[in-house]
Amino acid sequence: MFAKGAEEEQLGDMEGLCFHWPLNSETIVSMALVGAIIGAASGGWINDAYGRKKATLLADVVFTAGAVVMAAAPNPYVLILGRFFVGLGVGIASVTAPVYIAETSPSEIRGGLVSTNVLMITGGQFLSYLVNLAFTEVEGTWRWMLGVSAIPAVIQFFLMLCMPESPRWLFMKNEKDKAIAVLSNIYEIARLEDEVDHLSAAEEEERQRKKTVRYLDVFRTKEIRLAFLAGAGLQALQQFTGINTVMYYSPTIVQMAGFNSNKLALLLSLIVAAMNAAGTVVGIYLIDHFGRKNLALSSLSGVIVSLVILSGAFFAKTTGSSNGIYGWLAVIGLALYIAFFAPGMGPVPWTLNSEIYPEQYRGICGGMSATVNWISNLIVAQTFLTIAEAEGTGVTFLILAGIALLAVVL
């Protein structure tokens, strides 16, 4: 997330340094998403084969390598390669983190802890803007901005070495003694026995069905097919309702609203990122008290209203009105969008996907759902500015509002 913010902020500077290479904003933003799609697609298999801990360590190594390559890139081609590796690490981690957290958490706080993963992402986006400001006056600005993103991955790598493997995965691999040792650090004796019995029953059920789950198996059983439809559908609609468009392009959106100062645009975008992180904190509390479905529905209702406000502000501005109130109305719509989206549609898809699949399908379905998320992310990132330029920003936000309405139906 550090890298995302840094890359966006330094886009113009990098294009100047790269000279005659025809890069544009959408392509640069989207390169890491290609890696993330591949990482997420392979992440489910890596998780099931080698465990959640090793998958996390691998993601950290790949991400760190990508950050170093980007910072040292002598030409655009090497820069793009570094972005691909960063995306690969992010993709693997996006599959692994929710599953690992869910499998090592007591059920009564599982939703809140899985949502903490989303908080780390939104918090990282906020910190990336602060990093941008800190390195603005430093020589070789964009290289420092991209290179510093390796630091969180290195820290996580060494901390993860001290963490246990998922007890559920250990049970799946017949390492019951290790699993019970891990569970004993999570539950009291009475709960421990219940949890061991539950895992034993799940293991026996899996053994009776089949040892190897393949991708096509997801679509052969009605209950798994419906679960995947719900999980992957929410992941896709999380992106198609525009959240990462707002985060990637918030400085651009603020400037489209009439705030032409780069510093003011960055400051307002910093406030938007801070609201995103704060909203996620609210979601951590609400998701275990308000319920997943209710939280998603209330979140989407607010998102629709916010997108209509944004659309109206840009429609009014394109009519030629010089009234500055429309610019501020767009910023208010942007802030309301984040305030409604962050507590609900931010954490709910990830939490739901960590809960709704049977044990033997959890890794592969989680990986497939995360892949859907990243593909949707790529489509939106590649098309938002193009559609906004062709049809107008007001129409673009109206399209997103229509998609949010479809999400309510789902």
Side-chain angles (χ1 to χ4, degrees):
M1 303 297 14
F2 274 75
K4 280 185 184 177
E7 287 151 9
E8 292 153 29
E9 179 61 18
Q10 284 303 304
L11 204 53
D13 185 22
M14 287 162 60
E15 287 176 345
L17 290 174
C18 295
F19 296 105
H20 303 295
W21 209 67
L23 294 177
N24 60 52
S25 300
E26 291 175 347
T27 303
I28 290 182
V29 167
S30 300
M31 276 301 112
L33 300 180
V34 175
I37 290 168
I38 297 172
S42 58
W45 175 80
I46 293 171
N47 269 269
D48 287 342
Y50 299 103
R52 311 344 180 184
K53 181 175 179 177
K54 288 179 181 176
T56 304
L57 293 172
L58 175 64
D60 291 334
V61 170
V62 173
F63 186 96
T64 301
V68 172
V69 169
M70 286 193 302
N75 58 58
Y77 302 100
V78 177
L79 177 64
I80 294 302
L81 178 65
R83 290 213 15 96
F84 175 79
F85 280 121
V86 163
L88 205 61
V90 170
I92 296 171
S94 70
V95 177
T96 309
V99 174
Y100 181 78
I101 295 169
E103 292 182 345
T104 54
S105 304
S107 57
E108 62 269 19
I109 58 170
R110 184 177 298 137
L113 290 179
V114 173
S115 300
T116 303
N117 175 57
V118 182
L119 174 61
M120 295 299 103
I121 296 172
T122 56
Q125 289 172 331
F126 172 71
L127 289 176
S128 73
Y129 284 105
L130 294 181
V131 169
N132 290 348
L133 291 174
F135 282 111
T136 299
E137 304 300 326
V138 177
E139 187 177 351
T141 303
W142 68 269
R143 294 186 184 276
W144 283 104
M145 287 182 175
L146 300 183
V148 76
S149 64
I151 294 175
V154 171
I155 293 172
Q156 179 174 271
F157 178 88
F158 286 106
L159 291 177
M160 198 66 195
L161 291 174
C162 305
M163 296 293 288
E165 180 54 84
S166 159
R168 290 176 181 266
W169 184 83
L170 290 170
F171 247 88
M172 286 170 57
K173 296 301 179 181
N174 238 0
E175 298 185 44
K176 296 182 181 179
D177 291 340
K178 291 182 180 179
I180 292 171
V182 174
L183 289 170
S184 66
N185 292 321
I186 302 173
Y187 299 103
E188 297 178 353
I189 296 297
R191 280 285 299 277
L192 176 62
E193 292 177 358
D194 291 339
E195 189 65 19
V196 170
D197 290 342
H198 171 71
L199 290 177
S200 298
E203 182 195 26
E204 181 61 30
E205 182 183 352
E206 180 185 355
R207 186 179 288 111
Q208 290 175 359
R209 288 188 177 186
K210 55 174 72 177
K211 291 185 178 180
T212 304
V213 176
R214 296 179 175 84
Y215 288 102
L216 288 178
D217 294 334
V218 174
F219 303 100
R220 286 174 179 157
T221 307
K222 183 178 179 181
E223 62 176 9
I224 307 300
R225 188 167 62 245
L226 290 174
F228 178 71
L229 175 64
L234 274 177
Q235 291 283 33
L237 289 166
Q238 182 193 63
Q239 295 303 320
F240 284 122
T241 50
I243 180 59
N244 275 324
T245 299
V246 169
M247 297 312 299
Y248 288 146
Y249 298 117
S250 57
T252 306
I253 293 169
V254 169
Q255 288 180 331
M256 284 179 177
F259 298 94
N260 296 319
S261 165
N262 287 333
K263 287 187 177 180
L264 179 58
L266 180 61
L267 179 61
L268 291 173
S269 300
L270 186 65
I271 295 171
V272 168
M275 288 187 65
N276 195 22
T280 308
V281 174
V282 175
I284 290 172
Y285 171 80
L286 291 178
I287 199 165
D288 284 323
H289 292 81
F290 200 45
R292 280 65 159 150
K293 183 177 179 179
N294 289 335
L295 187 58
L297 288 172
S298 58
S299 174
L300 284 166
S301 300
V303 163
I304 292 169
V305 172
S306 306
L307 288 170
V308 169
I309 292 173
L310 267 170
S311 178
F314 280 101
F315 272 127
K317 194 159 186 64
T318 55
T319 59
S321 173
S322 59
N323 195 333
I325 193 172
Y326 295 121
W328 283 107
L329 187 62
V331 172
I332 290 170
L334 199 61
L336 284 174
Y337 174 91
I338 292 297
F340 281 108
F341 186 98
M345 281 301 287
V348 167
W350 295 105
T351 302
L352 201 73
N353 273 279
S354 70
E355 294 177 328
I356 60 175
Y357 307 117
E359 197 72 41
Q360 67 271 28
Y361 285 92
R362 186 168 293 166
I364 195 168
C365 286
M368 290 168 67
S369 293
T371 303
V372 169
N373 184 290
W374 287 112
I375 290 173
S376 305
N377 192 337
L378 175 63
I379 293 170
V380 174
Q382 275 288 81
T383 58
F384 174 76
L385 288 182
T386 302
I387 296 174
E389 289 175 8
E391 303 295 334
T393 314
V395 172
T396 305
F397 282 119
L398 208 54
I399 292 171
L400 295 178
I403 295 171
L405 196 59
L406 291 177
V408 171
V409 175
L410 178 70

